[in-house]
Amino acid sequence: MQNSPLVSIICLCYNHEKFVVEALNSVVNQSYQNIELIIANDCSSDASKKVIKNWLENHTEIRFISNKSNLGNTKTFNKALQFAKGEYVIDLAADDILLGDCVEKQVNAFLNPKQKNTAIVYGNAEIISEDNLHLRYYYKVDNEKKAVTKPASGDIYLAMLNQSSMICSVSSMIKRDVLEQLYGYDENLAYEDLDLWIRTSRNYNFEFIDAVLVQKRELANSLGNQFYRKFNSQTKKINYSSYLVIKKAIALNKTKNENKALLKRLHFEMAKAYKTFDIWLFLKYIPLEIKLRFF
């Protein structure tokens, strides 16, 4: 590429000693070369820190942040973001892998946008097991590995509210200035992606790249496996975060149609609270439903 803007890749590691080297190698082996890698270890209890330090012996120019206590993903990412100088940012979990032309395709999408005011570009992901075995694709593909049903592009705010489309967060790249305008991730939340999509899509466009860009590893303790556990403290934190995201979205909404769209997501979250016997959370949704219906 003639124009090669700097891309900052923030690799977050927490107990990923088995996978972190593969993740880091996938960054340095990109076809696109103008990359700044920032590694952040969130006080892992396994040998992640030692594995990363050994890898850094051959990559001495790379910044390494090591938390003295466990801060969680949102706080650790924001801490690392302060050092990022790239025009674009990727949040890479240390158990995931960027395919060789991932960054090149993402940057090209930004340099040749299909619409103005694009803040996030994203693509497809291959879901793999702990042992690198293929499980499925995030978006179902045809024989040419093209998405059978294209996810949302352009103004996707309503789609984010009513769950009519999903964003593959692990395959996304965001403009750093937009991320900074939004003050990074909300550190009050147990997870960051839904909140970021809603806040970003309120004022900016998204663009889908119809290609498999990353490999996302599915582990037993992955976030997606935590939503429906009964009487589980982590499940309660995650589902309460969803409540906070919906509460914030109500403040962003401007029309009755947007409130109607958000009601669909609210009912989905109420059902999760009911199925996990989180009655306190279920009851907290009732005033929000009244507000969306009548105000």
Side-chain angles (χ1 to χ4, degrees):
M1 294 181 185
Q2 292 181 341
N3 182 6
S4 299
L6 179 65
V7 174
S8 296
I9 298 179
I10 297 173
C11 184
L12 300 182
C13 180
Y14 179 67
N15 290 349
H16 290 138
E17 63 173 311
K18 293 171 58 178
F19 313 114
V20 63
V21 168
E22 192 171 7
L24 297 177
N25 284 339
S26 78
V27 174
V28 299
N29 291 329
Q30 285 293 302
S31 59
Y32 188 89
Q33 291 296 298
N34 196 17
I35 291 174
E36 165 193 63
L37 174 59
I38 301 169
I39 307 168
N41 177 47
D42 191 17
C43 196
S44 296
S45 58
D46 65 2
S48 291
K49 184 176 180 179
K50 180 180 179 181
V51 170
I52 293 170
K53 283 195 167 184
N54 288 340
W55 184 86
L56 285 170
E57 290 179 2
N58 296 317
H59 305 276
T60 55
E61 76 286 358
I62 292 173
R63 183 182 293 274
F64 178 44
I65 299 167
S66 186
N67 292 343
K68 294 182 179 180
S69 61
N70 181 255
L71 301 180
N73 277 2
T74 54
K75 290 182 180 179
T76 302
F77 178 86
N78 286 347
K79 182 178 178 180
L81 182 63
Q82 297 176 23
F83 299 99
K85 299 181 177 67
E87 188 172 341
Y88 307 111
V89 176
I90 293 174
D91 177 356
L92 174 65
D95 57 343
D96 295 336
I97 302 164
L98 302 180
L99 298 186
D101 59 355
C102 171
V103 177
E104 181 178 350
K105 287 180 175 176
Q106 291 169 317
V107 171
N108 187 59
F110 271 120
L111 297 181
N112 302 281
K114 295 179 180 178
Q115 66 259 316
K116 296 180 180 179
N117 204 32
T118 296
I120 291 180
V121 299
Y122 70 104
N124 206 344
E126 180 187 15
I127 312 302
I128 61 174
S129 70
E130 185 171 342
D131 300 319
N132 287 346
L133 298 177
H134 170 82
L135 298 177
R136 61 188 179 279
Y137 290 98
Y138 191 93
Y139 306 112
K140 187 177 179 180
V141 300
D142 59 22
N143 292 334
E144 297 179 349
K145 293 188 179 180
K146 298 296 182 182
V148 174
T149 302
K150 302 294 187 292
S153 284
D155 180 355
I156 68 165
Y157 186 65
L158 280 178
M160 291 300 95
L161 295 181
N162 66 18
Q163 295 182 298
S164 62
S165 189
M166 295 293 292
I167 304 297
C168 181
S169 59
V170 298
S171 68
S172 67
M173 174 186 282
I174 185 170
K175 285 185 175 179
R176 180 170 60 88
D177 61 352
V178 171
L179 199 51
E180 290 177 344
Q181 287 170 25
L182 297 172
Y183 300 102
Y185 292 159
D186 184 338
E187 297 183 1
N188 296 310
L189 303 177
Y191 69 96
E192 72 289 334
D193 47 9
L194 176 60
D195 176 63
L196 181 67
W197 302 335
I198 291 175
R199 290 191 291 137
T200 305
S201 63
R202 173 75 278 182
N203 297 309
Y204 296 96
N205 287 321
F206 285 46
E207 183 172 321
F208 173 67
I209 303 168
D210 197 359
V212 179
L213 302 179
V214 303
Q215 290 179 312
K216 173 178 171 54
R217 204 177 301 275
E218 187 171 276
L219 305 177
N221 62 349
S222 294
L223 181 67
N225 295 322
Q226 306 290 321
F227 289 118
Y228 290 99
R229 295 186 176 180
K230 299 178 178 67
F231 310 112
N232 181 279
S233 60
Q234 182 64 15
T235 298
K236 286 186 176 183
K237 289 179 183 178
I238 293 169
N239 291 342
Y240 180 68
S241 290
S242 298
Y243 163 81
L244 294 177
V245 172
I246 290 175
K247 193 173 181 181
K248 290 171 66 177
I250 292 174
L252 292 175
N253 281 358
K254 300 176 182 178
T255 68
K256 290 183 178 180
N257 194 35
E258 290 169 353
N259 284 350
K260 184 179 178 180
L262 187 56
L263 266 173
K264 184 177 180 181
R265 184 174 288 276
L266 182 145
H267 291 156
F268 174 77
E269 294 299 334
M270 286 183 79
K272 282 202 298 185
Y274 180 80
K275 289 176 181 178
T276 57
F277 300 113
D278 194 341
I279 305 304
W280 173 79
L281 181 59
F282 181 88
L283 294 175
K284 285 185 73 66
Y285 276 115
I286 295 175
L288 298 189
E289 171 152 11
I290 293 172
K291 190 170 186 177
L292 286 172
R293 286 186 179 276
F294 301 110
F295 295 94

